Amino acid sequence: QVDKAAAGLLALGLRPGDRLGVWGPNMYEWILFQFATAKAGIILVSLNTAYQANELDFALKKVQCNAVVCPTSFRTQKYCEMLREICPEIGATPAGVIRSPRLPDLKMVIVTDSRQPGMLHVDDVMQAAESRHRRELLDLQSKLSCDDPINIQFTSGTTGSPKGATLSHHNIVNNAYFIGLRSGYDSRNQPQTRICMQVPMYHCFGSVVGGVNMAVHGVTLVFPSQGYNCQANLEAIQKEKCTFIYGTPTMFTDLLNHPDLLKYDLSSVEAGIMGGSPCPQEVLRNLNAKINMKDIMIIYGTTENSPATFIGFPQDTEDLKTNTVGCIMSHTEAKVVDPVTGETVPVGTSGELMIRGYCVMRGYWDDPVKTSETITDAHWYKTGDTASLNSLGYCRIEGRMKDMIIRGGENVYPAEVEQFLFKHPKIQEAHVVGVKDERLGEQVCACVRLKNGQSSSAEEIKAFCKGQISHFKIPHYVVFVDSYPLTVSGKIKKHVLKEMMEEQLGL
């Protein structure tokens, strides 16, 4: 099926180096096109399922996307409608020959679940290839390089504009391989290693730690439902006798707090991999006590690092208290530097964590300035996280130099939300901080100063955001303020504002 899809994409006119965006929750199509594009030398672009029209428009333009694969709709997301909104020329020409001045690189939309005017169906891809396209696919195998780009993963930046982290075959295949070794997949009975995939495929966690690991180590992936559904996850673990569970701390918290947890037979579970955000101590303890999950692995990393750089088993109480995230991955270097001087600090001293090795991305797509700001001339990636390393290579994460909010494993950058809120006609100024949340780790809090003579409500501000920015970026709390805590130079003291909001909200 992978070879048929790969040859079909070539038959439809896509060439090595072209970009194909996969958008939506259809897990089978994700896996199919993840490997088909790799074999054909086409770059897969991971599009967040929650993107609204303006976010999709930016992403498609940023990487000059040539094709998009998506379902008609999912839940409240109307994928085909949004594509027609930003590209009304769809339907005016035969399927596969879109001509749009707004998206000049987009040539085709491939729909996975229905026939739509002006769009191809996934069956058209599978049936398009002729023998010459299959020969072309075979010839390509000797020409592709492991350093060729294979995947573009969008990660937001502090400027508010998403950046396309460009990863190579070398990046993600190696990372999946070493994660699998550290997880013990090589020593376990691989066909019996069945992983409950709670995480989405459009994140590096799902696509690499899940999808590529499946191919490299021969493990089985179980997708309980198209979208995240705690009940479906429990049912799948019981029915499929899953031995591993992948998830963010929020997802594991939901499992533990599900009212029907004790009704399910979860005795097959041996271990879990957790990543995406810091994990509360109680969650790890309860996973051991309530689900008998003996081995819990914590992954620390970033999309730009393919994604894992540290992985460990923090069962020790002191590890939990100190946010120790494990030992450095194989063939990867880490150092901690003084954020002012750039000099390496002594072991045990705090500073900015930096990573070097095969895992570091090629760069941000078509953004050499941001790439040079993030990767040094000596190929060290600046994580922006404050950390310390001990003499054995174990890492302790102490905080974030960046102001990123991690809400249930989703990265939210305040600047992006702030820039959107500034469009509201009543808002004079808005600053966004992350405030603590028991379930999600952090929630988005908007501190809004209205224009003179204006009045508004939290509900009005949230309604303004709905359908315009992804649901996880919409402020959970909207607090109206008259002023902000400032430095002498007039900059917002975000850490002070965060503390003020948590106190005011009683968190």
Side-chain angles (χ1 to χ4, degrees):
Q1 290 296 92
V2 168
D3 284 349
K4 284 181 67 175
L9 292 173
L10 295 175
L12 292 171
L14 295 182
R15 305 262 66 86
D18 282 351
R19 277 76 58 199
L20 181 145
V22 180
W23 191 31
N26 297 55
M27 300 304 181
Y28 172 76
E29 282 79 12
W30 258 103
I31 293 292
L32 177 67
F33 285 104
Q34 180 178 17
F35 291 103
T37 51
K39 294 200 75 168
I42 297 165
I43 303 170
L44 185 142
V45 182
S46 298
L47 300 172
N48 194 309
T49 58
Y51 274 171
Q52 299 299 314
N54 58 330
E55 295 165 310
L56 176 68
D57 182 48
F58 176 89
L60 296 181
K61 287 178 179 175
K62 182 66 179 177
V63 300
Q64 302 92 41
C65 219
N66 305 104
V68 174
V69 176
C70 67
T72 308
S73 61
F74 177 68
R75 293 178 178 169
T76 60
Q77 293 287 90
K78 307 297 183 184
Y79 294 112
C80 289
E81 285 185 16
M82 278 191 267
L83 281 164
R84 290 190 182 96
E85 178 184 335
I86 62 176
C87 188
E89 293 81 6
I90 293 175
T93 57
V97 288
I98 295 170
R99 296 187 181 91
S100 169
R102 184 173 177 178
L103 295 173
D105 298 287
L106 185 66
K107 304 303 179 189
M108 67 188 77
V109 174
I110 302 165
V111 185
T112 60
D113 59 359
S114 69
R115 291 279 177 184
Q116 295 289 319
M119 302 181 186
L120 296 166
H121 188 271
V122 68
D123 288 345
D124 298 327
V125 179
M126 305 303 286
Q127 296 168 9
E130 299 175 2
S131 56
R132 60 191 175 94
H133 302 115
R134 293 185 176 89
R135 288 195 299 271
E136 182 183 358
L137 183 64
L138 287 173
D139 291 340
L140 274 173
Q141 305 312 299
S142 63
K143 300 174 184 177
L144 297 178
S145 164
C146 69
D147 293 317
D148 289 338
I150 185 177
N151 188 210
I152 298 174
Q153 295 266 348
F154 275 100
T155 177
S156 295
T158 53
T159 59
S161 298
K163 303 185 296 292
T166 307
L167 305 177
S168 68
H169 300 258
H170 191 217
N171 289 149
I172 69 173
V173 173
N174 269 16
N175 205 247
Y177 175 70
F178 290 120
I179 290 169
L181 290 187
R182 190 70 66 88
S183 304
Y185 292 157
D186 59 324
S187 59
R188 299 176 190 266
N189 184 355
Q190 284 98 331
Q192 298 305 313
T193 299
R194 304 173 71 82
I195 301 167
C196 175
M197 287 285 292
Q198 299 186 110
V199 294
M201 293 297 291
Y202 60 82
H203 279 173
C204 238
F205 192 171
S207 62
V208 178
V209 186
V212 182
N213 237 316
M214 176 190 67
V216 172
H217 288 284
V219 295
T220 300
L221 302 185
V222 176
F223 297 105
S225 57
Q226 283 195 326
Y228 174 65
N229 183 313
C230 186
Q231 178 89 25
N233 294 333
L234 287 168
E235 291 173 358
I237 295 167
Q238 174 178 278
K239 180 180 178 181
E240 302 296 335
K241 299 190 184 305
C242 294
T243 56
F244 266 71
I245 305 174
Y246 284 5
T248 64
T250 300
M251 293 171 178
F252 282 106
T253 299
D254 287 349
L255 283 180
L256 292 168
N257 293 329
H258 194 281
D260 295 330
L261 175 66
L262 298 180
K263 295 180 182 179
Y264 289 93
D265 178 6
L266 308 181
S267 59
S268 61
V269 175
E270 300 172 3
I273 295 184
M274 186 182 301
S277 61
C279 181
Q281 301 174 30
E282 282 304 308
V283 173
L284 293 174
R285 292 195 186 98
N286 287 334
L287 285 171
N288 193 315
K290 294 184 178 181
I291 302 182
N292 198 33
M293 190 181 287
K294 299 295 186 184
D295 294 330
I296 306 170
M297 286 158 277
I298 301 295
I299 284 182
Y300 167 81
T302 62
T303 301
E304 292 88 343
N305 282 301
S306 309
T309 50
F310 289 89
I311 187 168
F313 302 81
Q315 267 64 49
D316 184 81
T317 302
E318 289 306 308
D319 282 350
L320 298 179
K321 287 181 179 178
T322 58
N323 267 349
T324 300
V325 292
C327 189
I328 189 74
M329 294 277 286
S330 301
H331 302 284
T332 306
E333 296 177 275
K335 68 176 180 177
V336 176
V337 302
D338 184 304
V340 177
T341 66
E343 296 294 320
T344 303
V345 301
V347 170
T349 305
S350 299
E352 181 179 9
L353 179 65
M354 299 179 71
I355 302 295
R356 183 167 68 177
Y358 74 85
C359 61
V360 176
M361 66 176 179
R362 290 171 55 97
Y364 294 120
W365 184 271
D366 196 28
D367 202 335
V369 174
K370 290 297 179 186
T371 300
S372 64
E373 290 174 357
T374 306
I375 302 175
T376 71
D377 291 340
H379 306 294
W380 285 99
Y381 170 75
K382 302 175 182 178
T383 67
D385 289 328
T386 302
S388 62
L389 294 169
N390 69 18
S391 58
L392 298 176
Y394 284 81
C395 179
R396 179 162 63 98
I397 301 296
E398 299 170 349
R400 294 192 297 275
M401 296 175 66
K402 303 173 183 177
D403 58 355
M404 181 175 70
I405 299 166
I406 301 182
R407 178 197 176 278
E410 293 281 3
N411 294 349
V412 181
Y413 286 82
E416 182 180 3
V417 183
E418 290 165 356
Q419 289 177 17
F420 177 77
L421 290 174
F422 285 147
K423 298 177 182 178
H424 194 289
K426 295 182 180 179
I427 292 178
Q428 176 69 36
E429 192 173 1
H431 292 281
V432 172
V433 294
V435 294
K436 57 189 177 185
D437 183 87
E438 185 175 348
R439 174 175 175 261
L440 296 169
E442 288 183 302
Q443 269 289 11
V444 180
C445 176
C447 309
V448 173
R449 185 160 67 93
L450 297 173
K451 295 177 180 177
N452 289 337
Q454 295 289 344
S455 63
S456 186
S457 65
E459 290 70 27
E460 180 183 348
I461 303 302
K462 294 177 184 179
F464 176 73
C465 299
K466 189 174 181 180
Q468 300 300 312
I469 58 176
S470 298
H471 66 86
F472 57 84
K473 300 175 187 176
I474 297 175
H476 183 74
Y477 301 105
V478 177
V479 180
F480 295 97
V481 299
D482 296 319
S483 61
Y484 302 93
L486 304 174
T487 64
V488 175
S489 60
K491 295 181 179 179
I492 302 292
K493 294 181 179 178
K494 282 284 184 84
H495 65 288
V496 176
L497 186 60
K498 170 187 173 75
E499 293 170 359
M500 290 171 56
M501 291 301 103
E502 289 180 344
E503 182 178 355
Q504 183 171 335
L505 294 167
L507 302 175

